[in-house]
Amino acid sequence: MLQAPPPSGPRATRTSGRLAPNRAPNRGGIQKRGNTPARVDRDGDVAMGTATASGRGTAIRGSGRSRRHDPIGRRESARSTRTGIDTSALQKTVLKSMGSEEPVHKGPRSSLRGVRGRGKLNETREGQARIRITGWRQSKAAGNPDGGLSDLIAFLERKATHPDAPAGEAVKIKKSRIEGDAVIVTVRSEDSSKITRLNNYTFAGATLHIENLSGKLDPVEKGKDPETPNTINVLKSVLSRRYDVDLKLLDLSQLGGDPELLNLGMFNTASRESKFFPALMKICDNIFTTPHQKEDAIVSVSLASNSLPNISSVTVLAQTFPAIRNLDLSNNQFKDLAALEGWRWKFRKLDHLILSGNSLETGIPTYKNDLLKWFPSLTTLNGNQIRSPEQVKSAANGRLPLPILPASFRDEASIGETFVKQFFSAYDGDRASLIGAYYDAQSTFSLSINTSAPRAPNTADQKAPGWEAYIKRSRNLLKIEHLPAKMSRLYTGTDSIKECFITLPATRHPGLLAEPQKWCIECHAIPGLPDAQAPSGVGGLIVMVHGQFSEVDISTGQTTVTRSFDRTFVLGPGNGVGGIRVACDTLVLRSYGGHEAWQPEVGSAAGVVQSQPQATYQIPLPAGYAIAGQGKTEEALQKEMLVLELSKGTGMTLEYSQMCLEQSVWNLEGAAIAFQQAKPNLPTDAFVST
């Protein structure tokens, strides 16, 4: 039997060791807290509670290997395996701390898998499951910038994870992608049942429908993914064969019988089939890089005879080719309009739709009326004209619940008109003088950026201009959450407003007289405007201006970018030019959206507007009439102002105007219409003398 060699004394007494006497190791390893000396055995080695080797013995193997005797005949203790601690890792750390030059043999990688609290572990390559989720598009989160996808993923991970599960066992969605109205997520196979059990759960007010597509991914199928180079080449070949240059037709009918697609096995599994059409559209996006190119190249698309029960697998067509004019969906399996719901309000230029050979033709007799609402440019259905281009244009003009009326400018003594004429020319030329002319210590100014406003159609292909010069001062309360940021971006007083004005880019507004069509200006009187000199408030004006301006490069005088704006002024009596002051100035900036939106419609609606009271008559007023005063209620003041407005627009006396408003339940527009109807029968004394 082998005998252990005699001890050679504590390591600390060796002069040849890496550590000098009384010197502590300064890197890695296990150390005692404070100045407590390390626990050592009689030979001076660190005592670890396991068998040790004399001197620089062989490192202990990991628990994944079978135990064996050490060189001095003692067996490795089995105590380490009961605690779940890998002694090889500890041995390696200790030897590092003591400066051992002996190589440490690594144990198997699996030795740390069962240990908790040891950091992130390397997972084995396990199968993954793909799961389809639908119904989330109808949730309240669909209005978020990403369509609610991030909220959906967070919801699924939270609901699928048991509340008491450790962090390492939480359900995580590895990948996600959107296919039409569905989102396809990838999770570990063992987590798939935790996700699918959430089927019919309610997410933000919408019911989710969850389906496990594939379980574990087939390794063979991974090599045939629609994004592999070979498959991409095949799909490009399919598109090339099915595109008619002369007709500008993309014929995607009877795809299930295409030889190239069948040889590729594209429809062998539900997984591959679900990825096919989005991959096809992605290739089209790469071929046509701008919306203009797509619209010019593809006018018609056919999806006939594809046995489609609904459009969920081809919804992405509306994103890739939104401007097509002809669409053939004949000989599919659409039973009702719900099968086409995903394309509602899409294809805004669609002129001809073919749905023949689908059961919804006979099952829903009124489906034509619904399609006319869904597709505003539709004139032909199944080869038959259902409305004329003139009717389409008329329907487009009347698509809003309220007609577009001319601007309502109800000024007082031309105060609003004079202010607007002077303000914008001064804003473009001398902002410092402008502030001294109209603003005071109580005036406030704020600006905000509206990045979600629609852009003009003729600029859709252009890159949207940046907002670098404005973003730091933007007070968009939908974006800013913290109160200090909200308050710091509300500029009060002439000095603060001036400091903001001079940092904004130089501008050039269109001429009010030269280009009036580019402006929309409204003005109304407002009672009870707060004022330090009048506790009950004073009369004021609110002026709302919608228009556009160009930013100017000062060095060259050239226009750099054109933007649209909405600016609201609250004017009150003060010491400024014309005896007024700007109490509040609110500026909203947005990308250029054109000026067609406020062009009034021609027709009967416009006639009603012309009958509204206009500021054309001078009405003699009793002292204090339509002015806030002691003992006068807010309701009485508002009624007096309505009477005055009607009198100015109709020329009736205050007495007759009040009677007209009382009969119209104090509705000014209704009173104007009643006046036009009764005007021929009114006596002479109903009007003021001119």
Side-chain angles (χ1 to χ4, degrees), residues 340 343-348 350 353 370-379 387:
L340 304 174
W343 283 341
R344 184 176 183 177
W345 292 102
K346 309 293 184 182
F347 302 123
R348 309 298 291 168
L350 186 65
L353 176 64
D370 293 319
L371 291 177
L372 290 175
K373 298 176 183 177
W374 287 13
F375 307 113
S377 300
L378 188 66
T379 64
R387 59 181 172 184

Side-chain angles (χ1 to χ4, degrees), residues 439-446 490-494 497 568 581-586:
Y439 296 79
D440 59 21
Q442 284 74 45
S443 300
T444 62
F445 169 75
S446 65
L490 178 63
Y491 303 97
T492 305
T494 55
I497 296 174
T568 302
R581 60 182 282 266
V582 175
C584 179
D585 177 4
T586 304

Side-chain angles (χ1 to χ4, degrees), residues 40 82 87 230 390 668:
V40 299
R82 296 171 185 165
T87 56
N230 178 53
E390 291 74 18
L668 186 60

Side-chain angles (χ1 to χ4, degrees), residues 116 400 460 489 520 564 625 655:
R116 294 182 180 177
L400 298 176
R489 300 185 186 191
C520 179
S564 292
Y625 194 86
E655 180 183 2

Side-chain angles (χ1 to χ4, degrees), residues 181 309-312 334-344 360 364 370 374:
D181 289 338
N310 53 61
I311 62 167
S312 61
F334 303 133
K335 297 180 179 179
D336 50 36
L337 286 177
L340 304 174
E341 182 75 25
W343 283 341
R344 184 176 183 177
L360 68 82
I364 307 177
D370 293 319
W374 287 13

Side-chain angles (χ1 to χ4, degrees), residues 238-239 242 249-256 261 267 276-278 280-281 284 298 300-321 324 326-334 339-340 343 347 350 352-358:
V238 171
L239 289 172
R242 290 173 169 267
L249 166 66
L250 182 59
D251 184 3
L252 301 179
S253 62
Q254 296 181 323
L255 290 172
L261 297 178
F267 308 111
F276 160 66
F277 199 81
L280 203 64
M281 293 297 101
C284 292
I298 307 294
S300 307
V301 174
S302 174
L303 289 171
S305 305
N306 280 309
S307 302
L308 296 172
N310 53 61
I311 62 167
S312 61
S313 60
V314 295
T315 308
V316 69
L317 177 70
Q319 301 171 17
T320 305
F321 298 110
I324 59 174
N326 307 297
L327 178 60
D328 184 359
L329 298 175
S330 61
N331 299 317
N332 281 291
Q333 300 175 4
F334 303 133
L340 304 174
W343 283 341
F347 302 123
L350 186 65
H352 187 183
L353 176 64
I354 301 177
L355 284 171
S356 57
N358 290 280

Side-chain angles (χ1 to χ4, degrees), residues 237-440:
S237 173
V238 171
L239 289 172
S240 178
R241 279 191 296 104
R242 290 173 169 267
Y243 177 57
D244 190 318
V245 179
D246 297 329
L247 297 177
K248 296 184 178 181
L249 166 66
L250 182 59
D251 184 3
L252 301 179
S253 62
Q254 296 181 323
L255 290 172
D258 190 285
E260 285 188 275
L261 297 178
L262 292 175
N263 291 337
L264 194 63
M266 188 57 68
F267 308 111
N268 288 351
T269 65
S271 171
R272 304 205 69 213
E273 185 175 347
S274 66
K275 296 162 70 174
F276 160 66
F277 199 81
L280 203 64
M281 293 297 101
K282 185 176 181 180
I283 293 174
C284 292
D285 286 330
N286 294 333
I287 297 174
F288 308 108
T289 56
T290 67
H292 178 73
Q293 290 179 348
K294 293 178 181 179
E295 185 174 357
D296 185 62
I298 307 294
V299 174
S300 307
V301 174
S302 174
L303 289 171
S305 305
N306 280 309
S307 302
L308 296 172
N310 53 61
I311 62 167
S312 61
S313 60
V314 295
T315 308
V316 69
L317 177 70
Q319 301 171 17
T320 305
F321 298 110
I324 59 174
R325 290 171 173 77
N326 307 297
L327 178 60
D328 184 359
L329 298 175
S330 61
N331 299 317
N332 281 291
Q333 300 175 4
F334 303 133
K335 297 180 179 179
D336 50 36
L337 286 177
L340 304 174
E341 182 75 25
W343 283 341
R344 184 176 183 177
W345 292 102
K346 309 293 184 182
F347 302 123
R348 309 298 291 168
K349 297 182 179 181
L350 186 65
D351 177 67
H352 187 183
L353 176 64
I354 301 177
L355 284 171
S356 57
N358 290 280
S359 57
L360 68 82
E361 282 190 293
T362 56
I364 307 177
T366 61
Y367 81 102
K368 296 180 182 179
N369 298 330
D370 293 319
L371 291 177
L372 290 175
K373 298 176 183 177
W374 287 13
F375 307 113
S377 300
L378 188 66
T379 64
T380 307
L381 180 63
N382 298 334
N384 301 315
Q385 186 177 35
I386 53 178
R387 59 181 172 184
S388 66
E390 291 74 18
Q391 290 175 315
V392 169
K393 185 176 180 180
S394 176
N397 292 334
R399 66 181 180 273
L400 298 176
L402 296 175
I404 301 175
L405 305 179
S408 175
F409 199 88
R410 298 169 180 173
D411 202 355
E412 293 284 345
S414 299
I415 293 174
E417 178 183 352
T418 303
F419 170 78
V420 171
K421 288 180 178 178
Q422 295 178 351
F423 181 89
F424 288 99
S425 60
Y427 185 85
D428 292 341
D430 188 357
R431 294 178 187 173
S433 299
L434 176 67
I435 293 173
Y438 288 111
Y439 296 79
D440 59 21

